Amino acid sequence: MKKFFQNKKIITIFVIVVLVLSLLTVSVHARQRRSGPLFLQKVGNETMAIGSRLLNWPLSIISGGANSVHDIMQAESENDHLKKQVDDLAQTKARNASLESENAQLKKALKLKSSLTDYHLINGSVISRSPETWSDLLIIDKGSSSGVRKNMAVMSGGGVIGRIVEVDQTTAKVELLTTSDKQANRFAVQAKSSTGKMIHGVISATNGQLSFTQVNNNHKLKAGTKVYTSGMGGNSPQGLLIGHVSKTTKDSYGLSDVIQIKPAGEITSPSIVTVVQRKEAD
Amino acid sequence: MTAVKRWLAAIFLLLAAILSGSLAMFLRPVMWSQASFGITLIGLVVLALYDEENYNLLWLAGLLGLLCDSFYFGFFGVCLVSFPVLTFLTQKLARYIPEIAWTKMLVALVAYLIQYLYLFLILAMFNLGNVSRSAFWQGLGASCLSGIFWIVLTFWLWRKVAQKFPFLPSQADLY
């Protein structure tokens, strides 16, 4: 022990390691708890965001060109698919309008200003992404000035892809559903079982695979069953599509069911996103 | 030497830090889903190899690490630690490395993979990621390939910057 304290190099390394671990511990916990980043962090983030917007301009032209070629090649099959859906659209729109008006009348009768299903949408673009492996973070070009707040749900390509974890003035960070961060907030979800009962649970992820966990009863879910947000937890509204049940397996101990979910949203390469701002329920 | 030339290395490194995020956004879905895009670290290591006595690089590495951690992670301790430490170690090792381009490229690749392992360690220690053994090896392979790709692609640029436009050179270096 005496030798240890006499060796200045070892003491220096020891102090540095302790400082690094302390820095990591404090900043990781601070990120989870605080509502917004520190002032200096905001300045750095805004500077990087401006640079990202400028650099993305030529990159998006190149990427857009490549995507256009791909789109042209897919156009015929997409056209056939859309023609089939157009037939149903008129009927669905008419029914939707009638249900909306009925819903508004019922809310008025009950003196309800808003419910779990009411929300505003804020559209934005992805301007950057964490370059390191396993870091499932996107940076979008909408921030607190556009009404974005921490923990709001984010959608892209028809389904939920993640939630806001940090908000700056003009940018925000989105943590994808596929994150394996054990400290991350999880979406409370629900799905209708084959017996008609509503099953509640949360969405978690392992190695990029989404699963429906903490299921509240033993009802089975068929493959293809749609999984929606339940609105519980107070952050996201009810009824946002998360994905479809792909298969049900047993966990590594063979005790409980692991219901695997195929995400409905564009998680791999989202470019346009929609932040969902829940209206306060009465 | 004009002010721009003295700061050119810093400007290039800042651009690389921003570009890594943009490249990850555009290329990750089509090329390597598990690879890292750390061009900034490659730049710092190559600059350190060719400018081994310029300790101004260390605080530049720290500043870039601070920006990258803030923008890409939201917490501090990944790039803020790995950038200056790897730059310092590279500068210390530089005198023992032969003056051949491919050996210097190899050093840059080793630094790139050390950064990968360091990130894995942090994720595991702080419960920020649940990475399986197979995902770890797949990620290591993908990072190795992407590292080789980015090193081969950018090495000449960083070498030229280090040799022609060293970062804030001292008066002794100028004469």
Side-chain angles (χ1 to χ4, degrees):
Chain A
M1 205 66 184
K2 199 177 174 184
K3 274 186 183 174
F4 177 83
F5 284 111
Q6 280 172 349
N7 192 329
K8 281 185 182 173
K9 275 186 184 172
I10 292 180
I11 292 174
T12 313
I13 291 169
F14 180 74
V15 169
I16 290 171
V17 169
V18 169
L19 283 175
V20 167
L21 290 176
S22 311
L23 176 73
L24 276 161
T25 312
V26 170
S27 63
V28 166
H29 283 280
R31 184 183 76 152
Q32 305 288 347
R33 286 179 188 176
R34 68 180 178 226
S35 56
L38 305 169
F39 175 73
L40 270 176
Q41 211 177 333
K42 278 184 183 174
V43 174
N45 288 350
E46 295 297 340
T47 314
M48 293 284 279
I50 292 167
S52 288
R53 285 191 181 104
L54 291 173
L55 272 179
N56 282 351
W57 181 70
L59 285 173
S60 59
I61 290 172
I62 300 165
S63 167
N67 285 341
S68 302
V69 174
H70 181 257
D71 288 349
I72 290 166
M73 289 166 76
Q74 298 271 314
E76 196 183 338
S77 63
E78 198 175 40
N79 193 32
D80 292 342
H81 175 72
L82 290 173
K83 269 182 184 169
K84 284 174 196 163
Q85 294 210 332
V86 164
D87 296 338
D88 296 333
L89 189 62
Q91 180 57 35
T92 309
K93 274 174 98 174
R95 185 172 159 75
N96 197 21
S98 137
L99 286 171
E100 260 183 20
S101 104
E102 189 184 57
N103 193 21
Q105 281 174 20
L106 288 170
K107 275 184 181 173
K108 203 174 173 184
L110 286 167
K111 290 179 183 168
L112 270 177
K113 279 180 189 162
S114 55
S115 67
L116 282 176
T117 51
D118 290 324
Y119 51 82
H120 294 297
L121 300 175
I122 304 161
N123 291 315
S125 303
V126 180
I127 56 167
S128 192
R129 185 173 186 149
S130 180
E132 299 299 337
T133 321
W134 305 312
S135 183
D136 289 319
L137 277 181
L138 304 175
I139 293 108
I140 61 167
D141 66 347
K142 294 286 179 220
S144 55
S145 58
S146 309
V148 175
R149 299 283 177 271
K150 196 175 176 181
N151 282 323
M152 282 181 177
V154 180
M155 297 182 76
S156 178
V160 176
I161 61 161
R163 70 165 73 242
I164 302 285
V165 287
E166 191 181 293
V167 187
D168 290 300
Q169 191 72 20
T170 58
T171 60
K173 288 189 182 72
V174 179
E175 189 171 55
L176 294 176
L177 282 176
T178 46
T179 182
S180 54
D181 183 351
K182 286 179 184 168
Q183 298 172 23
N185 282 333
R186 299 290 172 196
F187 279 97
V189 293
Q190 62 184 23
K192 210 174 217 175
S193 72
S194 45
T195 56
K197 286 223 170 186
M198 201 57 91
I199 296 175
H200 291 268
V202 295
I203 285 290
S204 53
T206 315
N207 296 323
Q209 170 64 54
L210 297 185
S211 14
F212 188 172
T213 53
Q214 299 179 27
V215 176
N216 64 340
N217 58 33
N218 292 323
H219 291 279
K220 297 285 176 198
L221 288 177
K222 281 182 185 169
T225 307
K226 287 178 179 171
V227 179
Y228 298 93
T229 54
S230 65
M232 291 180 186
N235 291 319
S236 55
Q238 191 181 46
L240 304 179
L241 182 62
I242 298 273
H244 307 86
V245 173
S246 58
K247 62 177 176 181
T248 305
T249 55
K250 287 281 177 193
D251 68 0
S252 53
Y253 301 105
L255 297 172
S256 58
D257 286 342
V258 176
I259 304 161
Q260 292 187 0
I261 307 291
K262 189 183 173 199
E266 181 56 85
I267 286 186
T268 329
S269 56
S271 53
I272 305 293
V273 293
T274 306
V275 182
V276 184
Q277 184 182 24
R278 174 175 153 164
K279 279 188 193 173
E280 287 301 313
D282 288 326
Chain B
M1 188 180 267
T2 60
V4 177
K5 282 180 181 174
R6 285 161 60 85
W7 285 88
L8 201 67
I11 295 167
F12 270 69
L13 284 168
L14 182 64
L15 284 176
I18 298 166
L19 195 65
S20 352
S22 302
L23 287 172
M25 184 176 80
F26 287 110
L27 298 181
R28 186 167 278 174
V30 287
M31 288 172 84
W32 307 286
S33 61
Q34 288 169 315
S36 57
F37 290 76
I39 315 170
T40 324
L41 181 69
I42 296 170
L44 278 168
V45 169
V46 178
L47 289 179
L49 282 169
Y50 283 98
D51 200 5
E52 72 258 30
E53 284 177 10
N54 185 352
Y55 293 108
N56 287 328
L57 275 178
L58 293 178
W59 67 258
L60 177 65
L63 198 67
L64 285 165
L66 196 75
L67 277 175
C68 287
D69 275 356
S70 171
F71 192 58
Y72 293 125
F73 291 97
F75 61 88
F76 299 102
V78 182
C79 302
L80 180 62
V81 173
S82 64
F83 284 6
V85 168
L86 288 168
T87 307
F88 177 74
L89 292 176
T90 309
Q91 283 187 326
K92 292 287 162 200
L93 278 173
R95 71 187 69 172
Y96 306 109
I97 295 161
E99 286 294 321
I100 311 165
W102 71 265
T103 50
K104 291 183 189 283
M105 286 182 177
L106 198 65
V107 173
L109 182 64
V110 170
Y112 196 82
L113 295 179
I114 289 174
Q115 158 95 346
Y116 173 87
L117 295 173
Y118 176 65
L119 179 64
F120 174 76
L121 193 74
I122 287 175
L123 293 177
M125 276 174 73
F126 290 89
N127 261 341
L128 296 170
N130 184 16
V131 182
S132 70
R133 199 176 291 174
S134 62
F136 169 79
W137 290 111
Q138 279 173 21
L140 189 67
S143 288
C144 196
L145 287 175
S146 68
I148 293 169
F149 180 79
W150 295 119
I151 290 166
V152 169
L153 203 71
T154 60
F155 183 82
W156 64 271
L157 172 77
W158 298 120
R159 184 172 62 182
K160 194 156 195 166
V161 169
Q163 289 170 339
K164 300 249 177 187
F165 311 104
F167 176 62
L168 295 181
S170 61
Q171 290 301 311
D173 294 334
L174 291 173
Y175 299 106

